[in-house]
Amino acid sequence: MHIQTLILGAGAAGMMAAAHAGPGVVIIDHAKAPGEKIRISGGGRCNFTNMGTTHAQFLSQNPHFAKSALKRYTQWDFINLVSDYGIAWHEKTLGQLFCDETAKDIVAMLRSEMDKAGAQLWLNTAISNIAHDGTHFSATLTRDGRDTQITATNLVVATGGKSIPKMGATGLAYQFADHFGLGVITPRPGLVPLTFSDDKFKPLAGVATPARITANGTSFDEALLFTHRGLSGPAILQASSYWHEGDPITVNVIPAADLFDKLRGARETSGKKALTNILSMHLPARLIDFLKDDMNLTGNIADQSDARLQAICDALSAWPLLPSGSEGYRTAEVTLGGVNTDGLSSKTMEAKSVPGLYFIGEAVDVTGWLGGYNFQWAWSSGWAAGQAIRNTRK
């Protein structure tokens, strides 16, 4: 059986590519249904893009690689597509857009786009014996216990990264990259909770507070959540992509508060109150109770000099911590690293050394911040590859 294009992976990037690659597309996936990561994302409502998307929100060894695809297929293009299908959406915070009803609407939209393009979807399908003879790709596809020998002019690898292995993530794209001689930037978990081996934050499990988290010079101001195993919440997930094992982080639990002036005011009006009681008016009481011994939060507010109040504020705004590790791929929302962009065209996502071979989405060494950016990369990179394949036929 010969086809024009074989796409591996019916996730966000793969389905987007299938919708734009023109006639003769077969898209395969080992799962029972397409778009499973889309379906579970955003609490089931899919944070499908971010209104503030630029290349600046992406990590890569080549920080400029994502520019071309993101500029040619923007967040506004995808928003228009969603609106054309009558899918209601809303902005939650910081430019993050979610479906009003269900993430399944996005999957159904992409299925419809694929159907209009004439793409075939093969689920519960495995691939083996892949090869390239300089002109065509060949492979064995196995589904329902039957083997189909297939050849294709183009091969698009959209199998994602290693994150969330319980959904079948394996890092298969890296094996294909190695097979065809492309480099791979060592993968690691991204957008992932950080852990502490001494369970030091167990007493604070469930406490949340606004915070600024800094890792290797990059800071994020969002919510911090204490867990039985360590730290989570949007601020930690964001910073985790910049953190490496063995590095410290800095936690500022008063990022927006002029706490020093508030404490001085309380000293004048409520001098007999305990310092911890005053602090608990501005921060979670359980957090203050947890910190009171380490930061020597004793005495009444009236007993504290300006210098002492400033020292307390400094400690609360620069709390150094040393995570022992992360939750790993089990809970990581994305995989950092991936197929080295040096071997790919930023315009088409095609391998420079193997004509007709494309890598898109999370498989590539392009990783976005939390907040819809990684889906936008899937849409943009999938569109870029699809357009390149379609235009090659003309």
Side-chain angles (χ1 to χ4, degrees):
M1 175 181 177
H2 178 75
I3 60 172
Q4 185 67 18
T5 303
L6 176 62
I7 300 177
L8 311 182
M15 288 196 286
M16 192 68 172
H20 290 276
V25 171
V26 172
I27 177 171
I28 71 168
D29 202 291
H30 61 83
K32 297 179 181 179
E36 283 296 89
K37 266 195 172 183
I38 298 173
R39 182 183 61 79
I40 69 168
S41 66
R45 292 192 175 180
C46 187
N47 180 191
F48 58 82
T49 193
N50 192 294
M51 291 194 294
T53 302
T54 70
H55 77 282
Q57 293 88 28
F58 294 84
L59 292 81
S60 173
Q61 284 208 352
N62 179 357
H64 302 289
F65 182 83
K67 284 182 179 178
S68 178
L70 291 171
K71 282 184 177 179
R72 289 183 300 122
Y73 190 89
T74 71
Q75 59 270 40
W76 309 111
D77 292 315
F78 195 77
I79 291 168
N80 287 339
L81 178 63
V82 169
S83 297
D84 286 346
Y85 271 80
I87 300 171
W89 54 268
H90 62 278
E91 180 186 357
K92 190 172 181 180
T93 183
L94 300 174
Q96 301 172 50
L97 302 189
F98 290 77
C99 298
D100 282 0
E101 299 297 331
T102 172
K104 293 178 182 178
D105 290 339
I106 300 294
V107 178
M109 177 190 76
L110 293 169
R111 287 292 305 271
S112 178
E113 289 290 288
M114 286 167 52
D115 289 343
K116 287 194 292 185
Q120 297 181 53
L121 174 62
W122 294 13
L123 297 171
N124 295 303
T125 302
I127 185 170
S128 59
N129 303 322
I130 192 159
H132 185 246
D133 64 7
T135 304
H136 296 97
F137 298 89
S138 61
T140 302
L141 303 183
T142 305
R143 60 173 178 162
D144 299 327
R146 296 180 181 179
D147 289 346
T148 300
Q149 304 303 318
I150 196 166
T151 59
T153 304
N154 304 295
L155 177 67
V156 181
V157 182
T159 53
K162 292 185 173 182
S163 57
I164 318 185
K166 69 179 181 181
M167 296 186 66
T170 61
L172 183 63
Y174 315 139
Q175 298 176 34
F176 284 116
D178 183 65
H179 179 76
F180 288 110
L182 279 74
V184 174
I185 305 301
T186 303
R188 59 189 179 90
L191 300 181
V192 64
L194 300 179
T195 57
F196 293 77
S197 57
D198 55 3
D199 295 329
K200 66 183 298 176
F201 295 120
K202 251 187 177 178
L204 288 177
V207 172
T209 188
R212 175 177 299 138
I213 308 298
T214 303
N216 289 310
T218 300
S219 302
F220 291 93
D221 286 28
E222 289 193 65
L224 165 67
L225 174 67
F226 295 90
T227 73
H228 284 88
R229 298 192 64 191
L231 301 177
S232 188
I236 286 292
L237 298 186
Q238 295 280 39
S240 73
S241 292
Y242 293 83
W243 175 83
H244 291 82
E245 193 163 343
D247 292 341
I249 62 171
T250 301
V251 176
N252 177 356
V253 293
I254 52 170
D258 190 0
L259 186 61
F260 176 70
D261 287 342
K262 291 176 179 177
L263 293 179
R264 289 185 68 194
R267 187 175 60 190
E268 299 301 318
T269 60
S270 308
K272 293 183 179 181
K273 288 188 176 181
L275 171 63
T276 52
N277 288 345
I278 297 298
L279 287 170
S280 295
M281 296 171 63
H282 306 287
L283 289 163
R286 284 170 61 192
L287 177 59
I288 295 303
D289 186 61
F290 179 85
L291 293 172
K292 66 181 180 182
D293 292 335
D294 286 348
M295 295 188 180
N296 192 27
L297 304 177
T298 59
N300 295 333
I301 186 68
D303 302 327
Q304 316 299 320
S305 66
D306 279 1
R308 177 58 187 148
L309 292 180
Q310 188 61 62
I312 291 170
C313 292
D314 290 345
L316 292 171
S317 63
W319 181 15
L321 293 171
L322 184 62
S324 59
S326 78
E327 294 276 3
Y329 292 116
R330 182 180 65 85
T331 60
E333 296 202 17
V334 293
T335 302
L336 293 153
V339 178
N340 194 327
T341 59
D342 286 350
L344 303 176
S345 162
S346 62
K347 183 177 181 180
T348 66
M349 310 305 296
E350 185 177 19
K352 296 175 181 177
S353 59
V354 185
L357 176 64
Y358 300 78
F359 287 87
I360 59 177
E362 191 181 347
V364 180
D365 175 35
V366 175
T367 306
W369 290 358
L370 184 72
Y373 299 102
N374 287 292
F375 273 128
Q376 186 57 48
W377 172 244
W379 316 137
S380 297
S381 61
W383 177 90
Q387 287 294 309
I389 291 169
R390 178 188 290 268
N391 291 336
T392 299
R393 293 172 58 91
K394 292 179 179 179

